[in-house]
Amino acid sequence: ATTGASSSLSFSPSPSPLSSAPFLSPLFFLPPAVQDLESPEVSEFRQAADAVPEVPFGLSTSPSACSQYNTTVGTVVLFRTIDGDRRDLPNTDGEEIQAETMIRFVRINELRLVTEYNPVTAVGLMQSSIQLHLLLITDKKSSEHPEHMHRFREAAELFRRKILFVLVDCNVKGNERVMSFFKLKKSQLPALAIFHSEDEEQDVLLLDEVSVERVQEFCNVFLQ
């Protein structure tokens, strides 16, 4: 079973992580003999869960679960509902996987309804099976930002498993390279930029305001 808090981590004979996690669900497969929730393996997993409270974590000791998900004991499996992908962190050296390793594994591979762009999340974005990315390039310090994000998230719901929605904050050092790639200046923001990673086809739309309708129309035209 997956849970939202590490204090209630539990074993389940038939885990169904995708049914309860809106974005991600790491599931750690332990040997059936391990039943102690205070064991070193579980302790490291619990630390990782505490460090990433917004992500549900679950444990399983079930051999049938390993078979169902085609994995081995001691493996951390991360399920993503945004693109339908999964990522595995196998225990290759026979020692306990450290909490820091699991946290980094989740942070690199996490994708959300709207994923904020940074050097870490860029890895998961570029490795996704979804090759269309829609970027909202904006100033997070703007008073209009909360409303813009609310509408951007609404639009993202319409394109699940079709387009990855990404937030790019123009104030973050390094993001000027993203703006330069799309030939945008800070004075032109907010703007939408859609990008197809396979052939680098792109389009840009300058915005007076962010609305669900404008985002939807921009995406549909590009998809067509």
Side-chain angles (χ1 to χ4, degrees):
T2 56
T3 69
S6 62
S7 59
S8 58
L9 286 173
S10 61
F11 295 107
S12 170
S14 57
S16 53
L18 295 180
S19 65
S20 58
F23 308 119
L24 301 170
S25 180
L27 188 64
F28 186 37
F29 291 94
L30 293 169
V34 177
Q35 297 292 337
D36 182 7
L37 286 177
E38 301 305 320
S39 68
E41 295 96 332
V42 175
S43 177
E44 293 293 323
F45 194 65
R46 188 186 299 276
Q47 289 180 49
D50 285 339
V52 195
E54 70 274 21
V55 175
F57 279 60
L59 293 162
S60 178
T61 61
S62 169
S64 63
C66 285
S67 176
Q68 178 183 352
Y69 294 111
N70 191 28
T71 189
T72 58
V73 295
T75 297
V76 177
V77 182
L78 184 144
F79 297 90
R80 292 198 307 228
T81 60
I82 294 300
D83 59 2
D85 288 354
R86 65 176 268 184
R87 295 288 184 270
D88 291 16
L89 177 64
N91 185 357
T92 55
D93 57 12
E95 298 180 1
E96 294 89 5
I97 301 177
Q98 299 300 306
E100 290 183 3
T101 302
M102 285 185 273
I103 294 167
R104 179 168 176 77
F105 171 70
V106 171
R107 289 306 188 199
I108 287 176
N109 291 288
E110 67 177 333
L111 294 180
R112 300 177 178 276
L113 189 61
V114 175
T115 302
E116 184 162 359
Y117 181 86
N118 59 52
V120 176
T121 59
V123 177
L125 287 166
M126 296 309 296
Q127 292 181 348
S128 171
S129 59
I130 296 179
Q131 297 177 328
L132 273 176
H133 301 168
L134 179 70
L135 284 61
L136 172 60
I137 307 174
T138 188
D139 182 354
K140 285 181 66 175
K141 295 180 181 179
S142 167
S143 60
E144 298 175 329
H145 176 70
E147 182 61 26
H148 287 173
M149 279 302 298
H150 174 71
R151 293 172 181 172
F152 195 56
R153 287 195 180 95
E154 281 190 49
E157 290 281 5
L158 304 175
F159 294 95
R160 278 181 179 266
R161 301 202 178 190
K162 293 181 181 179
I163 301 174
L164 297 181
F165 277 56
V166 184
L167 170 68
V168 179
D169 182 9
C170 65
N171 298 301
V172 175
K173 184 179 180 180
N175 283 355
E176 64 271 7
R177 289 177 295 180
V178 179
M179 295 170 59
S180 176
F181 179 81
F182 292 106
K183 299 179 174 60
L184 287 168
K185 299 178 181 179
K186 192 171 182 178
S187 60
Q188 295 175 295
L189 304 181
L192 294 175
I194 196 163
F195 177 73
H196 187 219
S197 60
E198 184 175 21
D199 57 15
E200 297 193 355
E201 185 179 355
Q202 60 178 270
D203 196 8
V204 173
L205 175 66
L206 304 182
L207 298 170
D208 295 325
E209 65 172 359
V210 178
S211 69
V212 176
E213 293 75 18
R214 295 201 73 185
V215 174
Q216 185 178 10
E217 180 184 7
F218 183 59
C219 290
N220 284 336
V221 168
F222 193 84
L223 286 170
Q224 290 167 7

